[in-house]
Amino acid sequence: MTDKKEEELHWSEEKEVVSSNKPLKFLLLLFKFFPRFVLHLFAFPVGFFYFIFSSRARIECRRYQKQLRLFSNGKEPPRIRSSVQIISFCLCVLEKMEGWLGKIQYKNLISEGEDLRFLIERLEKGEGAVLIGSHLGNIELLRSLSSFNRTGVKRSVPVTAIMEVKSTEQFNKTLEEINPGSAFNVIDPENITPDTMIFLQEEIEKGGLVVFAADRTSARSRSRVLRKDFLGKPADFPYGVFLLCFLLKAPVYYVFGLRSKTLTLFPKNYMFVEKSSVSLNLPRQKREEGIEMLSDEFVKTLEKYVLRFPYQWYNFYNFWLMNQDEKEEKDNKGEK
């Protein structure tokens, strides 16, 4: 059996960029002695180094940006610039560490619309919800704020994150050293059992939040996917996330944490929250129809924010994996 080409690798087959947590621990030490803007300066040489030596990152950034420009009729991004997207990712890593160190304040977040206020009011009443995020922007922002009771809610809000942990083992290990709360109530999808579902339902009933990322298919259930048009081309999304939303039957909100400016030494963060309009109280025979509606709504919402923040997309793999017909067509061209 021949090895897969890089462009055919599932995201979970990618090697973790950080093979040791020593560089991250060094950054943690620097946080104790330098102000934020000085640390943000480090993102530029580190990002440039990654840009030079990681052809994989350059290729996938260009693939994504070209698809986005095609979808937006050349409007976004303004220019194809892999380096900007890579440096933006380095700034996001720093922001995640800052969040778990307690250096980001809820009062400094910028929000739009009324849905964030509605969510806060719901949490104030002791009622929980499901949040669906992505790898657009800082997926850790709300969870890190919750560990310091900085969510805008007067009470402590428990947050349970359903996330793949093995793919970012070193980074997660560093976060746990920064703040032990980062590893609390993190559940790997492979460990979800009927008992887990009971636990999640109880957390929501107690006024907690359950958080999913819905832009990466499961490492263990790769065949259970929803194929949707994303930025004008078919891509796979995780079936399990949307199924769990219907099983939990709690209100669903889409959440995105994004920098107001892509490259900046003095970042301000947006917290976007949008409530799903899809009813979860459907009879079982209509559940599949509801799953399709919920996933369609998520994809459209994700597209909206990708267009607004094009360089803050951090899926550095081939998001539009070729289907079998495309592979055969490519192989036939190669034989000719």
Side-chain angles (χ1 to χ4, degrees):
M1 182 180 294
T2 58
D3 293 335
K4 288 184 180 179
K5 296 178 181 178
E6 280 191 326
E7 67 177 9
E8 297 175 4
L9 289 175
H10 187 266
W11 70 265
S12 61
E13 297 172 315
E14 296 282 348
K15 293 181 179 179
E16 188 174 5
V17 174
V18 182
S19 58
S20 167
N21 73 336
K22 289 182 180 179
L24 295 172
K25 292 179 73 173
F26 176 66
L27 272 177
L28 177 60
L29 180 65
L30 294 179
F31 271 115
K32 297 180 180 180
F33 299 103
F34 295 98
R36 291 181 69 188
F37 80 91
V38 174
L39 270 296
H40 287 183
L41 281 171
F42 279 86
F44 290 82
V46 171
F48 185 70
F49 179 87
Y50 187 36
F51 170 77
I52 293 296
F53 291 98
S54 176
S55 60
R56 174 68 163 158
R58 294 197 306 272
I59 289 170
E60 297 307 337
C61 285
R62 289 184 63 83
R63 188 197 307 276
Y64 151 74
Q65 290 182 31
K66 285 181 177 180
Q67 186 63 38
L68 182 55
R69 277 185 65 84
L70 184 64
F71 178 73
S72 65
N73 295 318
K75 295 178 181 178
E76 294 294 344
R79 294 173 58 191
I80 302 294
R81 301 177 68 184
S82 300
S83 59
V84 172
Q85 190 174 341
I86 292 170
I87 294 171
S88 174
F89 172 69
C90 294
L91 285 169
C92 181
V93 171
L94 289 174
E95 283 182 338
K96 290 183 180 184
M97 298 179 75
E98 289 169 344
W100 288 111
L101 283 167
K103 293 181 178 292
I104 297 179
Q105 301 286 336
Y106 174 82
K107 64 182 181 181
N108 294 330
L109 297 180
I110 305 168
S111 63
E112 294 180 358
E114 296 294 317
D115 284 351
L116 176 57
R117 180 172 63 83
F118 295 150
L119 175 59
I120 290 174
E121 289 175 356
R122 179 178 179 82
L123 295 172
E124 290 282 13
K125 293 187 290 186
E127 300 174 347
V130 171
L131 305 184
I132 297 183
S134 69
H135 292 80
L136 175 71
N138 183 357
I139 196 174
E140 298 280 346
L141 184 58
L142 181 63
R143 201 160 63 93
S144 62
L145 286 170
S146 71
S147 72
F148 294 94
N149 292 332
R150 295 174 180 172
T151 57
V153 182
K154 295 176 183 177
R155 66 177 178 88
S156 176
V157 180
V159 179
T160 303
I162 312 299
M163 58 186 291
E164 306 268 358
V165 296
K166 293 181 180 178
S167 60
T168 55
E169 188 175 356
Q170 294 298 335
F171 185 72
N172 293 335
K173 180 180 177 181
T174 305
L175 288 183
E176 189 174 355
E177 292 181 18
I178 292 174
N179 184 330
S182 67
F184 185 66
N185 281 358
V186 174
I187 300 174
D188 194 296
E190 77 169 336
N191 297 326
I192 292 180
T193 64
D195 288 339
T196 308
M197 293 302 301
I198 293 173
F199 167 76
L200 294 177
Q201 288 172 333
E202 289 175 345
E203 288 297 292
I204 290 174
E205 289 172 3
K206 290 188 296 186
L209 295 170
V210 175
V211 183
F212 299 99
D215 61 338
R216 289 184 180 179
T217 56
S218 171
R220 296 156 191 86
S221 302
R222 301 183 193 180
S223 60
R224 296 202 74 186
V225 299
L226 296 164
R227 180 152 290 186
K228 303 291 178 182
D229 274 353
F230 176 65
L231 301 182
K233 190 174 181 180
D236 291 338
F237 290 84
Y239 174 87
V241 167
F242 302 100
L243 171 62
L244 287 173
C245 290
F246 277 86
L247 296 177
L248 293 173
K249 292 188 179 298
V252 172
Y253 292 80
Y254 307 119
V255 179
F256 302 89
L258 294 145
R259 280 190 311 283
S260 57
K261 293 183 179 180
T262 302
L263 303 183
T264 176
L265 300 180
F266 303 94
K268 292 183 179 180
N269 295 89
Y270 279 106
M271 175 64 77
F272 295 106
V273 175
E274 294 193 18
K275 188 178 187 299
S276 171
S277 63
V278 178
S279 172
L280 301 177
N281 296 315
L282 296 175
R284 185 160 186 169
Q285 60 268 29
K286 290 191 175 182
R287 182 184 293 166
E288 292 302 317
E289 179 182 340
I291 289 173
E292 292 289 341
M293 292 171 60
L294 187 63
S295 56
D296 283 340
E297 186 181 60
F298 167 73
V299 171
K300 295 300 181 185
T301 305
L302 181 61
E303 284 180 336
K304 180 174 72 173
Y305 288 107
V306 166
L307 284 166
R308 187 168 172 181
F309 300 90
Y311 294 119
Q312 294 184 49
W313 174 257
Y314 306 133
N315 280 315
F316 296 114
Y317 65 96
N318 184 1
F319 201 77
W320 299 274
L321 284 172
M322 293 182 292
N323 60 37
Q324 191 59 41
D325 292 339
E326 290 174 319
K327 289 179 182 178
E328 291 177 359
E329 182 180 352
K330 184 177 179 181
D331 289 341
N332 290 335
K333 287 182 179 178
E335 290 175 1
K336 293 177 181 180

